[in-house]
Amino acid sequence: ADSPGMEITSDFSTYESFDGETFNFTAKRKRNDQVYQEFRGMAELNNEEANAIFSIPEDLSFDLSESTFFPMRHTVKMIQKALNQDKFFNAVVFDGSDDEGPVIINTFIGDPTDGAKGVKKSESIDHSLLKTDAWNIRMAVFPEQEEEESASDYEMSVVFHENGVISDMMVDYDDFAVTQKLVALEKLDQASCN
């Protein structure tokens, strides 16, 4: 509370194979336009190896279990659970966004909701992508290596759409909360698969 205000910029880019077995990631965070964290690497899940190896920083790696989810596979599984009207889903997820390794995400899938409600009308948002089934979802994120009864690192309340779009999000930390609103959303042209 005594610190001056600051601007934090976070860039995160990933590529995940369709089978969910390989994952490339890069993350960079800036504080007042100065880089203070950067991560880059690749993770694989297969019968021979299940690990994440960072190229930045070079000395960082994690052993992964074969049941680990990467972010897109986790998203697809949440959609399947919601469509099946399951209420709970628990998974170990690795996303490469920090140096903490895999996390456990406990998910509660709540009632369906109007996902377009509360999204401001804007030319930068393609509202046709919000005309899908959507659910109120609450997720609690725990460090994988901690004792079972430890408190969550943070919790998220999201409006989650059948197409994977999140139109509203609140992240609750111990001392503060961050609200995130959708400001841009565009449909990409479908690639031709001849």
Side-chain angles (χ1 to χ4, degrees):
D2 296 333
S3 301
M6 67 181 73
E7 181 176 312
I8 303 289
T9 305
S10 181
D11 296 314
F12 186 52
S13 179
T14 66
Y15 172 80
E16 186 173 333
S17 64
F18 188 73
D19 63 8
E21 291 190 1
T22 59
F23 179 62
N24 291 282
F25 54 90
T26 180
K28 184 183 290 185
R29 291 183 183 86
K30 295 179 182 178
R31 183 182 299 120
N32 294 332
D33 224 20
Q34 299 293 316
V35 174
Y36 72 94
Q37 272 186 331
E38 187 169 7
F39 303 102
R40 185 174 299 153
M42 179 180 170
E44 289 185 290
L45 301 174
N46 57 46
N47 293 334
E48 297 170 13
E49 290 187 57
N51 58 31
I53 299 173
F54 288 66
S55 56
I56 299 176
E58 290 182 9
D59 58 348
L60 185 61
S61 65
F62 294 100
D63 291 329
L64 306 175
S65 69
E66 289 183 33
S67 61
T68 300
F69 285 80
F70 297 136
M72 283 308 304
R73 187 168 149 232
H74 184 251
T75 297
V76 168
K77 193 68 168 179
M78 283 198 325
I79 293 167
Q80 291 169 346
K81 294 284 188 182
L83 290 172
N84 289 336
Q85 299 180 350
D86 294 333
K87 292 296 182 186
F88 296 99
F89 173 48
N90 176 281
V92 175
V93 179
F94 176 79
D95 69 5
S97 65
D98 58 33
D99 57 0
E100 301 296 319
V103 295
I104 297 169
I105 301 179
N106 294 333
T107 302
F108 172 73
I109 302 168
D111 294 330
T113 187
D114 177 0
K117 183 179 169 186
V119 177
K120 291 183 179 179
K121 295 289 183 190
S122 168
E123 289 184 20
S124 60
I125 297 175
D126 183 343
H127 283 266
S128 71
L129 295 172
L130 301 178
K131 295 177 181 175
T132 67
D133 289 339
W135 300 268
N136 290 307
I137 290 185
R138 181 80 176 176
M139 292 181 274
V141 179
F142 297 85
E144 185 187 36
Q145 306 300 329
E146 295 293 322
E147 298 173 10
E148 287 187 24
E149 299 200 13
S150 65
S152 62
D153 282 350
Y154 59 93
E155 297 186 12
M156 295 184 289
S157 296
V158 302
V159 175
F160 182 78
H161 293 254
E162 183 180 2
N163 58 10
V165 170
I166 294 175
S167 57
D168 194 18
M169 177 186 292
M170 176 175 284
V171 184
D172 289 319
Y173 297 95
D174 283 342
D175 300 329
F176 63 96
V178 177
T179 301
Q180 301 179 39
K181 299 290 184 186
L182 186 65
V183 296
L185 179 65
E186 70 178 280
K187 187 184 297 186
L188 299 177
D189 292 333
Q190 187 168 348
S192 174
C193 299
N194 292 331

